[in-house]
Amino acid sequence: MTIRTISFDGVIVGGGGAGMRAALQLSQSGYKTAVISKVFPTRSHTVSAQGGITCAIASNDPNDDWRWHMYDTVKGSDYIGDQDAIEYMCSVGPEAVYELDHMGMPFSRTEEGRIYQRPFGGQSKGPDNPTQAARTCAAADRTGHALLHTLYQGNMKNETVFFNEWYATDLVKNEDGAVTGVIAICIETGEVVHIKSKATVLATGGAGRIYASTTNAHINTGDGIGMALRAGVPVQDIEMWQFHPTGIAGAGVLVTEGCRGEGGYLVNKDGERFMERYAPNAKDLAGRDVVARSMTLEILEGRGCGPDGDHVYLKLDHLGEEVLESRLPGICELSRTFAHADPVKEPVPVIPTCHYMMGGIPTNVDGQAITVDADGNDQIIPGLYACGEVACVSVHGANRLGGNSLLDLVVFGRSSGLHIEKSLREGIDMKDATEAEIAKAASRLTSLNNTTGGEGVAALRKELQTIMQNYFGVFRRGDYMKEGIKKLAELRPRIENAHLADKSNAYNTARIEILELHNLFEVAEATAIAAEERKESRGAHAREDFEDRDDENWLCHSMYFPGDKSVGKRGVNFTPKTVDTFQPKIRTY
Amino acid sequence: MLNVSIYRYNPETDAEPYMQDLEVDTAGKDLMVLDVLELIKAEDTTTSYRRSCREGVCGSDGMNINGKNGLACIMPLSEAMKGGNKLVLRPLPGLPVIRDLVVDMSLFYKQYEKVKPFLINDTPAPAIERLQSPEEREKLDGLYECILCACCSTACPSFWWNPDRFIGPSGLLQAYRFLADSRDTSTEQRLADLDDPFSVFRCHGIQNCVSVCPKGLNPTKAIGHIRNMLLTSAT
């Protein structure tokens, strides 16, 4: 098979918020930039973000300070977020948000004409003042939609080249281990090409579809993580998965934390506002990990709602129709459609639901992917960048704060673009990949096209999702996880041999779904092995057999290496440039 | 068992499109149409359609459901079939079919691009956001929420006739979204670009767009505003 090569200065894999922000930066400076997106870009999962983008623009409180946002984020991360990266995100954030406004993003407004900010979980006014802040900039409850469309429009204006409904399958590496591009397949025609680039940015988003119950779109299959692991790139803190407190019970669809920000609260079957017991100060706006665990405990202890006692209620009706329809119109719509509950009149049944991957490809603040050498020193992987959910900079550590994902993706999409721009200007010298190296990267496709037997994709995917849901959920236990790892090991060859019965070329989604399942499996296995290895409870990682945080042994990142499936440790950055270190403390809300 | 009739066409193997009749076990539940498609695809992987968010915000799964355009993921069977006993799924009308329920949306996107759907403001940007009052911002409500699913434009007879020259309800909704934005300074140029017999004036107020929009938006109203602006600017 000869593969056509197309060359660009920068190629971005993924057309969500992070990818399009990176692409915009590059195309604005005149570099030939391509975005490969398996869906038309506005169908990317950023579109589903609801509540907002957290950032100290001092609209709600003129004295607001990005350092307070930084403190909240460090504390929210349970102290394994890198403080230099969090400092960068929180301090650069306002500029990045103003740029979105200048591009036309339709933010909601205050009477003064400024961007509207709402309270979100984990927000304070600094280390010594636990007063609830209102720091999340919002476009009603459709902030992700507004942001994603604005970024697509910005790229259109700057003539970024889009490969829409193309699917990147694997990274191409040269003999020096540098990433020189990707193999991609056109979904519409089945054509396979080698897209060559001096810089390759993975911006493929999350992988929530490893779980049976998730707020994530069907397309969130961890493609970037799969590509990275197959290319020998390690992943960091991959055991850290956020379960969002308010997924609609049964449907998995998200209702924003902004509901609680606007004054909604959770109740158990006795009508008790139970978060007052678990987080006396912040109550329903404690960290997401804290709220999700509290809800799970209520349910496990028999205080759940509904005939099976398997969910709790989110009460919103007391906010009144006017507030609900103006501030939370999308939520009203979703709740009526998926919960058959009208929030104006009745509570919404909710349950903690897999939502966000805190871990990912380790990067520095410039988006450059990092591995560690045998001596434990950071090594930059030439040619490879990552930003957004697929990356682990790490600004979220063990638990992400609501509103920080959209900020993460614009700030680090932007910084990746800026760094590539600078590197291109200085000149990037990289050996071309050989024919053999390109063919190697395309080999997964080739062998898939030659399958003659094996199991179907839907049943295998369901089995994988059930294992992850049962053995690696909100609460975890060593013996259970070991069993889960064993089950995954048995599943691997079956997934690798999944049968592609339909070998046609025109819009063959069966082929794409198997390729996606390979990626889901890689993410799941890395999650499982890293989760079993981290013998403590921190942030979203809650173990029944190691209930306490163990700063002596685990105040660090985990690093999962795909070659030998081992887990190592990497230091957390405690040295921000302009402020004093926030020292680890007991985390209470 | 649910009776389903689904449009099938694979250009590599089928000489022409056909309707495939199936029975699907829904366990008596009032599933969403997309759930039914997922059940079908689990059995027959060749069945092709687009889907992503499954909650009505990404706009991937617009299709013709029992004769009316809508999003499969937020369309319950009870509503789709209303009294009937069969679920009938066809691709969005008026656009070339790539395979099964997947249509080629190039023309639809081209019309969207034509209206320059991005903010134009050549004055230097301030150090903070451009101020906009809640009243000014309110003018964007009902416009910016468009998800580009193409349900409206592919339900519009005027778009069927002139898909290359009539912008269509979705594109015009977006055109008005930027005309209505207090931060945009390109009003005159935008109007000049639309001022021809086809771009806007092919709308005959049939309002199919309004009746199918899964987000409850009203393109006809937006088109009316553009007409008024064009007529006012001409005098």
Side-chain angles (χ1 to χ4, degrees):
Chain A
M1 180 166 65
T2 5
I3 300 176
R4 182 161 70 102
T5 295
I6 310 174
S7 299
F8 288 92
D9 293 322
V11 64
I12 288 108
V13 183
M20 288 211 287
R21 187 61 190 81
L24 181 67
Q25 198 65 43
L26 267 185
S27 57
Q28 268 174 348
S29 46
Y31 285 106
K32 203 176 156 205
T33 308
V35 173
I36 304 171
S37 179
K38 65 178 174 177
V39 292
F40 183 77
T42 62
R43 328 241 183 255
S44 308
H45 190 52
T46 303
V47 82
S48 292
Q50 300 171 350
I53 174 166
T54 303
C55 186
I57 60 161
S59 159
N60 177 274
D61 172 2
N63 297 316
D64 199 10
D65 191 320
W66 65 262
R67 292 164 192 88
W68 301 347
H69 179 197
M70 178 182 171
Y71 164 73
D72 292 342
T73 304
V74 170
K75 177 184 170 187
S77 80
D78 222 346
Y79 298 95
I80 60 164
D82 290 303
Q83 298 200 8
D84 57 342
I86 298 174
E87 175 188 40
Y88 180 81
M89 177 177 80
C90 296
S91 60
V92 170
E95 202 180 325
V97 167
Y98 295 140
E99 284 167 358
L100 291 170
D101 166 75
H102 300 158
M103 266 181 254
M105 183 163 159
F107 283 108
S108 300
R109 298 287 162 163
T110 67
E111 285 304 320
E112 292 73 37
R114 297 209 58 199
I115 293 170
Y116 169 73
Q117 293 184 294
R118 61 162 54 109
F120 245 55
Q123 295 182 353
S124 75
K125 302 206 170 185
D128 308 316
N129 186 357
T131 309
Q132 174 73 43
R135 193 173 292 126
T136 301
C137 307
D141 57 357
R142 302 188 180 100
T143 315
H145 171 280
L147 185 148
L148 189 67
H149 281 252
T150 301
L151 284 175
Y152 180 62
Q153 293 160 352
N155 274 287
M156 197 190 294
K157 191 176 178 179
N158 287 285
E159 296 177 358
T160 302
V161 176
F162 282 95
F163 288 76
N164 292 335
E165 299 191 332
W166 282 67
Y167 181 69
T169 59
D170 274 293
L171 296 171
V172 178
K173 283 166 65 175
N174 70 11
E175 60 175 288
D176 303 327
V179 173
T180 61
V182 294
I183 300 294
I185 177 168
C186 172
I187 299 176
E188 186 181 332
T189 64
E191 189 195 2
V192 178
V193 300
H194 165 224
I195 298 184
K196 182 181 148 186
S197 177
K198 291 175 188 130
T200 301
V201 184
L202 292 175
T204 54
R209 287 275 155 180
I210 63 169
Y211 287 94
S213 167
T214 175
T215 65
N216 284 196
H218 285 287
I219 59 170
N220 289 24
T221 53
D223 299 329
I225 301 281
M227 289 164 75
L229 289 174
R230 278 190 299 275
V233 176
V235 289
Q236 178 173 283
D237 297 336
I238 196 71
E239 68 278 19
M240 297 298 180
W241 282 84
Q242 178 163 84
F243 287 78
H244 195 291
T246 55
I248 292 179
V253 170
L254 172 75
V255 296
T256 174
E257 184 168 306
C259 292
R260 284 169 283 138
E262 297 287 348
Y265 54 85
L266 299 163
V267 294
N268 60 22
K269 73 166 184 189
D270 304 319
E272 184 205 4
R273 186 176 180 179
F274 58 85
M275 280 313 299
E276 290 178 337
R277 267 189 280 124
Y278 296 95
N281 181 52
K283 300 181 183 120
D284 296 83
L285 288 177
R288 284 180 177 172
D289 55 334
V290 176
V291 181
R293 273 194 293 278
S294 308
M295 292 167 71
T296 308
L297 286 173
E298 287 298 298
I299 293 165
L300 290 175
E301 288 168 9
R303 291 187 294 277
C305 306
D308 300 323
D310 57 0
H311 55 265
V312 299
Y313 282 135
L314 172 64
K315 192 173 143 40
L316 294 167
D317 57 315
H318 59 285
L319 300 177
E321 190 166 356
E322 205 186 306
V323 169
L324 289 172
E325 292 295 351
S326 66
R327 298 282 186 221
L328 303 165
I331 294 313
C332 293
E333 213 176 293
L334 286 173
S335 175
R336 285 167 196 145
T337 306
F338 287 101
H340 306 292
D342 183 354
V344 174
K345 298 181 197 131
E346 56 207 326
V348 187
V350 291
I351 185 167
T353 306
C354 169
H355 183 57
Y356 189 86
M357 176 175 81
M358 268 80 71
I361 298 165
T363 71
N364 58 23
V365 293
D366 294 320
Q368 293 178 288
I370 287 169
T371 185
V372 290
D373 64 17
D375 304 322
N377 299 315
D378 284 359
Q379 296 291 336
I380 283 165
I381 302 169
L384 185 64
Y385 291 75
C387 54
E389 190 168 341
V390 71
C392 184
V393 190
S394 157
V395 287
H396 309 305
N399 171 64
R400 175 173 72 74
L401 291 188
N404 268 355
S405 61
L406 292 185
L407 186 66
D408 169 5
L409 62 82
V410 290
V411 166
F412 294 106
R414 184 177 179 269
S415 73
S416 302
L418 285 167
H419 190 271
I420 295 169
E421 197 183 315
K422 182 169 151 261
S423 306
L424 285 168
R425 230 182 299 120
E426 289 165 359
I428 296 172
D429 190 25
M430 210 188 257
K431 277 192 201 122
D432 281 352
T434 61
E435 283 293 324
E437 283 154 352
I438 295 166
K440 190 180 164 216
S443 63
R444 191 163 62 102
L445 261 177
T446 320
S447 46
L448 180 58
N449 288 335
N450 291 328
T451 55
T452 51
E455 296 168 74
V457 66
L460 287 169
R461 185 172 53 214
K462 196 168 172 193
E463 207 173 317
L464 174 70
Q465 291 167 337
T466 308
I467 294 172
M468 294 309 290
Q469 193 77 26
N470 291 345
Y471 296 94
F472 303 93
V474 174
F475 287 104
R476 297 166 172 182
R477 213 171 81 188
D479 51 347
Y480 265 58
M481 287 195 283
K482 281 193 180 129
E483 206 180 313
I485 292 169
K486 223 172 99 195
K487 283 180 186 290
L488 287 174
E490 289 160 11
L491 191 55
R492 177 182 273 277
R494 294 168 54 205
I495 284 182
E496 282 176 351
N497 294 324
H499 183 213
L500 177 65
D502 174 10
K503 308 243 180 356
S504 64
N505 287 315
Y507 220 95
N508 186 342
T509 49
R511 180 183 285 119
I512 304 299
E513 286 193 19
I514 294 179
L515 294 167
E516 288 176 330
L517 181 60
H518 293 162
N519 292 330
L520 282 173
F521 183 83
E522 296 298 342
V523 182
E525 189 184 54
T527 299
I529 292 172
E532 196 275 323
E533 191 66 31
R534 187 181 278 274
K535 293 182 175 59
E536 63 156 357
S537 289
R538 181 185 301 272
H541 182 63
R543 287 187 64 148
E544 291 170 4
D545 48 353
F546 295 93
E547 287 186 326
D548 298 320
R549 195 172 85 188
D550 177 2
D551 283 352
E552 206 171 304
N553 297 300
W554 286 103
L555 186 62
C556 61
H557 299 298
S558 72
M559 291 282 272
Y560 170 81
F561 297 93
D564 57 359
K565 298 185 184 177
S566 64
V567 179
K569 295 179 177 181
R570 178 169 173 249
V572 169
N573 180 290
F574 285 99
T575 50
K577 293 197 175 84
T578 63
V579 295
D580 292 339
T581 302
F582 292 106
Q583 295 297 342
K585 285 193 291 195
I586 300 292
R587 188 166 156 258
T588 55
Y589 285 99
Chain B
M1 291 303 253
L2 172 75
N3 289 312
V4 185
S5 184
I6 175 169
Y7 179 101
R8 300 298 309 268
Y9 176 62
N10 179 344
E12 288 170 42
T13 53
D14 302 326
E16 55 187 40
Y18 62 98
M19 295 303 289
Q20 178 187 25
D21 289 315
L22 295 163
E23 282 196 332
V24 180
D25 185 4
T26 57
K29 287 187 210 159
D30 187 16
L31 299 176
M32 296 296 176
V33 171
L34 178 61
D35 299 330
V36 175
L37 278 168
E38 294 283 298
L39 289 172
I40 294 171
K41 193 169 176 70
E43 298 298 319
D44 176 2
T45 59
T46 66
T47 316
S48 306
Y49 50 91
R50 296 185 173 103
R51 86 282 181 271
S52 175
C53 76
R54 61 82 165 88
E55 57 188 27
V57 295
C58 79
S60 296
D61 59 355
M63 58 186 70
N64 188 273
I65 305 166
N66 287 48
K68 191 174 173 182
N69 291 353
L71 296 180
C73 61
I74 53 169
M75 178 62 74
L77 287 173
S78 55
E79 196 186 328
M81 293 164 56
K82 258 188 233 140
N85 54 11
K86 198 182 212 181
L87 177 70
V88 184
L89 302 176
R90 295 174 183 273
L92 290 174
L95 293 175
V97 173
I98 296 174
R99 176 173 177 169
D100 299 340
L101 301 173
V102 179
V103 292
D104 180 351
M105 294 177 69
S106 312
L107 261 176
F108 171 79
Y109 294 135
K110 212 169 133 189
Q111 296 298 354
Y112 171 61
E113 285 171 28
K114 230 191 236 177
V115 305
K116 300 203 177 89
F118 39 78
L119 195 86
I120 299 174
N121 186 326
D122 298 329
T123 63
I128 59 166
E129 67 270 44
R130 292 186 195 275
L131 300 183
Q132 183 174 51
S133 71
E135 293 72 30
E136 287 167 334
R137 168 59 183 77
E138 213 183 306
K139 292 189 177 138
L140 308 184
D141 285 340
L143 305 173
Y144 83 93
E145 300 93 324
C146 174
I147 57 173
L148 301 177
C149 64
C151 283
C152 60
S153 293
T154 61
C156 172
S158 300
F159 189 76
W160 295 338
W161 279 109
N162 293 293
D164 51 340
R165 290 194 286 179
F166 174 49
I167 303 278
S170 170
L172 289 171
L173 189 82
Q174 290 310 300
Y176 186 61
R177 177 249 173 276
F178 287 96
L179 285 167
D181 196 319
S182 61
R183 298 168 296 175
D184 191 276
T185 56
S186 184
T187 307
E188 270 177 47
Q189 187 57 49
R190 288 182 187 281
L191 288 174
D193 291 346
L194 293 170
D195 199 3
D196 62 71
F198 278 90
S199 296
V200 180
F201 289 98
R202 283 284 137 169
C203 169
H204 298 303
I206 300 166
Q207 303 214 27
N208 278 1
C209 53
V210 184
S211 79
V212 298
C213 177
K215 305 309 286 181
L217 309 178
N218 190 332
T220 307
K221 196 170 149 196
I223 295 170
H225 287 306
I226 300 177
R227 280 172 188 267
N228 286 341
M229 290 176 90
L230 281 169
L231 294 172
T232 314
S233 70
T235 53

